[in-house]
């Protein structure tokens, strides 16, 4: 088993060259990094800013900032470029060391997959053989990535139509010279698994997107010094309160697109419908050429509209109530809060829909007679059960199968739920709220 030290180390992906390692960088050095990577080819690569509790990743493609992510508590999460800098420049964040790596452009996209997607299957070689996992991927017949998690190293196998096509090893590890790549993967797992099991993570959704603020010169973020405005948006679906979210960003785009800072599941909302952005020190609302227009306090806006506390924004059927918050207060980046609404009771939120958890509970899966339908490869007809115990508390239970259940990034089979918990199964994400 990996040691505690290894579990704390940030992931190391396959690289082509190390441009520098273990450096202490100032703001001026950070601003110059995109100039450095742009002058080198321009290269594809990634920067790692490692701290005591997390590691921040900034990905470059064609010499420009492409996307970002964070590793903490053993999990990988996607970030925008501004969120990366907000965390990096957060007061009291501690000292960091920096590493900059050049990678093959294809490998960089494979790195982005790790931050933007969740594996459809994660299993250790002490529980299943590599041949069994490779067989399931081949049976599915889809393009996929298999990450071989070897302590902090993440070796990557790209499968084309279910068959291994490319194998990139991380660190100084060599790929075995076998006649076929699937044989090389099997030999590799057994060789590396002699000291500890290797975990195989399968990703079958390979579509990645750049951060919505990609390509912006890094000097723009460093100049802000992390002093970004904070504001609150209370979301309503018609008359029904959904949730309240806090943002600390320079520009917040909302719409139906996956890349939107605030994704809204509303067919009357455009992919990039409107944005709240900082202009001359004030937060203003702009319509982004939407099909159905943007309204503030029942008036359609035709240009930039400065926002004040209590303003009601309407896009499609969705209402958002705006409130500015003081800078600071311990919240950076984006945080989801529970909306104190006693009449709602215990419920799950899934793609904008509210599912009350009644006395009979909820069944989730791919079958035709479930309360919440889940998609993705290898999802069982009945995958999860959410239910109330005798004391009134709510629990989630995994009903079996290959797809792992995680609560707030931690794998589990059965877990008591508390307000704000994030439930992930396959590529689906749900949130649990309880007004009690």
């Amino acid at each position: 088993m990996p040691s505690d030290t290894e579990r704390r180390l940030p992931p190391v992906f396959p690289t082509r060259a190390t441009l520098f390692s273990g450096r202490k960088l100032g703001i001026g050095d950070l601003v110059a990094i995109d100039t450095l990577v742009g002058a080198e080819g321009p290269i594809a690569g990634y920067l790692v800013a490692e701290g005591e509790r997390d590691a921040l990743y900034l990905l470059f493609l064609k010499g420009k900032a492409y996307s970002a992510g964070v590793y903490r508590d053993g999990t990988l999460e996607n970030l925008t470029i501004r969120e990366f800098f907000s965390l990096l420049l957060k007061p009291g964040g501690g000292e960091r060391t920096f590493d900059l790596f050049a990678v093959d452009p294809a490998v960089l996209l494979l790195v982005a997959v790790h931050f933007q997607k969740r594996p459809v299957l994660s299993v250790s070689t002490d529980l299943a053989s590599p041949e069994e996992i490779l067989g399931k991927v081949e049976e599915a017949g889809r393009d996929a990535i298999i990450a071989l998690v070897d302590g902090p190293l993440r070796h990557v196998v790209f499968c084309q139509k279910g068959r291994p096509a490319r194998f990139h090893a991380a660190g100084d590890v060599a790929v075995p010279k076998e006649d076929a790549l699937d044989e090389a993967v099997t030999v590799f797992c057994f060789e590396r698994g002699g000291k500890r099991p290797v975990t195989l993570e399968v990703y079958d959704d390979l579509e990645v997107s750049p951060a919505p603020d990609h390509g912006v010169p890094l000097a723009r973020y460093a100049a802000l010094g992390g002093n970004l405005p904070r504001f609150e948006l209370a979301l309503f679906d018609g008359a029904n309160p959904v949730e309240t979210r806090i943002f600390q960003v320079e520009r917040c785009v909302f719409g139906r697109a996956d890349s939107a800072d605030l994704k809204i599941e509303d067919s009357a909302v455009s992919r990039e419908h409107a944005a709240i952005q900082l202009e001359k020190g004030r937060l203003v609302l702009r319509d982004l050429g939407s099909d159905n227009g943007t309204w503030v306090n029942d008036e359609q806006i035709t240009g930039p509209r400065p926002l004040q506390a209590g303003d009601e924004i309407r896009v499609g059927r969705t209402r958002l109530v705006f409130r500015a918050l003081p800078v600071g207060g311990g919240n950076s980046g984006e945080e989801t809060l529970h909306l104190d609404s006693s009449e709602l009771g215990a419920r799950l939120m899934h793609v904008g829909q509210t599912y009350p958890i009644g006395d009979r509970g909820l069944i989730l899966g791919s079958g035709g007679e479930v309360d919440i339908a889940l998609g993705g490869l290898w999802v069982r007809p009945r995958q999860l059960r959410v239910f109330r115990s005798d004391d009134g508390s709510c629990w989630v239970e995994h009903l079996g199968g290959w797809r792992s259940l995680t609560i707030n990034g931690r794998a589990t089979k059965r877990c008591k739920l508390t307000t704000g918990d994030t439930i992930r199964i396959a590529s689906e994400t749900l949130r649990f709220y309880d007004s009690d």
Side-chain angles (χ1 to χ4, degrees):
M1 295 294 291
S3 67
D4 290 340
T5 300
E6 286 178 326
R7 282 195 290 266
R8 288 195 299 269
L9 290 174
V12 176
F13 297 97
T15 61
R16 194 175 66 190
T18 300
L19 301 181
F20 59 73
S21 179
R23 284 193 184 178
K24 308 287 187 182
L25 300 182
I27 294 298
D29 301 311
L30 289 170
V31 169
I33 284 177
D34 53 355
T35 303
L36 168 65
V37 297
E40 289 283 332
I43 70 165
Y46 67 91
L47 174 77
V48 184
E50 184 177 351
E52 292 183 2
R53 299 180 180 178
D54 61 19
L56 304 175
Y57 287 73
L58 185 61
L59 280 56
F60 296 92
L61 187 62
K62 298 181 179 179
K64 297 184 180 296
Y66 178 80
S67 63
V70 59
Y71 169 79
R72 55 189 166 201
D73 298 328
T75 62
L76 299 166
E77 299 176 24
N78 197 44
L79 298 175
T80 64
I81 310 301
R82 55 180 169 264
E83 288 171 336
F84 170 90
F85 270 92
S86 180
L87 289 172
L88 187 67
L89 302 172
K90 182 179 180 180
E95 193 174 51
R96 294 182 182 272
T97 58
F98 294 81
D99 305 295
L100 182 61
F101 304 101
V103 303
D104 183 278
V107 171
L108 186 80
L109 296 179
L110 304 186
V111 175
V113 165
H114 283 75
F115 288 100
Q116 296 186 23
K117 309 295 182 179
R118 293 292 179 268
V120 297
L121 175 65
S122 179
V123 63
S124 173
T125 51
D126 60 350
L127 298 177
S129 68
E131 296 100 321
E132 185 178 0
I133 305 307
L134 290 169
K136 288 186 175 295
V137 174
E138 183 174 2
E139 182 181 346
R142 299 176 59 174
D143 290 350
I145 290 171
I146 305 176
L148 309 180
V149 183
D150 174 20
L153 303 179
R154 284 184 176 247
H155 318 288
V156 177
V157 180
F158 176 70
C159 297
Q160 202 163 23
K161 295 182 179 179
R163 294 287 299 166
R166 292 193 297 276
F167 191 168
H168 301 274
D172 298 326
V173 181
V175 174
K177 298 184 182 300
E178 302 295 325
D179 292 336
L181 272 180
D182 54 352
E183 296 175 359
V185 173
T186 300
V187 171
F188 183 91
C189 289
F190 282 120
E191 288 181 346
R192 302 297 294 178
K195 297 180 181 179
R196 60 187 169 204
V198 174
T199 297
L200 282 75
E201 294 181 347
V202 180
Y203 299 79
D204 67 349
D205 182 358
L206 307 186
E207 292 187 7
V208 297
S209 303
D213 49 356
H214 73 285
V216 177
L218 301 187
R220 177 178 173 188
Y221 295 102
L224 291 169
N227 229 2
L228 297 171
R230 297 174 68 239
F231 59 92
E232 174 186 279
L233 291 174
L235 279 71
F236 294 79
D237 181 5
N240 300 317
V242 177
E243 61 179 332
T244 298
R245 303 181 75 177
I246 290 177
F247 297 89
Q248 186 172 10
V249 294
E250 188 183 16
R251 186 170 188 259
C252 172
V253 175
F254 37 95
R256 286 189 295 107
D258 290 337
S259 59
D261 300 286
L262 176 57
K263 184 177 179 180
I264 298 175
E265 297 287 348
D266 184 338
S267 60
V269 171
S270 300
R271 288 181 56 79
E272 291 192 350
H273 194 107
I276 296 173
Q277 58 194 54
L278 185 65
E279 295 184 10
K280 297 180 180 180
R282 298 193 66 182
L283 287 169
V284 302
L285 176 68
R286 284 183 177 271
D287 184 86
L288 301 180
S290 67
D291 293 334
N292 295 317
T294 302
W295 305 72
V296 176
N297 302 331
D298 294 327
E299 293 182 5
Q300 186 172 9
I301 65 173
T302 57
R305 168 68 181 261
L307 292 171
Q308 299 179 357
D311 278 347
E312 183 177 293
I313 304 166
R314 180 166 59 83
V315 290
R317 295 180 297 275
T318 303
R319 294 188 299 120
L320 308 109
V321 177
F322 171 87
R323 185 167 71 94
L325 300 172
V327 174
N331 286 305
S332 63
E334 177 188 320
E335 181 182 351
T336 301
L337 303 179
H338 168 55
L339 181 65
D340 186 11
S341 181
S342 58
E343 71 274 13
L344 287 177
R347 62 206 183 278
L348 290 181
M349 296 296 304
H350 180 240
V351 291
Q353 297 295 314
T354 303
Y355 297 87
I357 302 171
D359 292 338
R360 71 178 188 86
L362 299 171
I363 297 295
L364 296 75
S366 60
E369 297 182 358
V370 296
D371 300 292
I372 302 178
L374 302 177
L377 189 64
W378 300 322
V379 172
R380 291 164 60 103
R382 293 167 63 89
Q383 186 73 61
L384 298 179
R385 178 171 74 108
V386 178
F387 63 96
R388 287 186 179 276
S389 65
D390 292 340
D391 64 3
S393 60
C394 291
W395 292 69
V396 60
E397 181 180 23
H398 191 258
L399 299 179
W402 287 101
R403 309 308 287 270
S404 60
L405 164 69
T406 65
I407 305 296
N408 303 324
R410 297 184 181 277
T412 184
K413 294 292 185 183
R414 193 172 187 267
C415 181
K416 182 178 179 180
L417 295 170
T418 59
T419 288
D421 279 348
T422 298
I423 303 168
R424 286 197 174 100
I425 185 79
S427 58
E428 306 275 7
T429 300
L430 307 96
R431 292 185 188 274
F432 171 79
Y433 297 102
D434 194 346
S435 57
D436 293 341

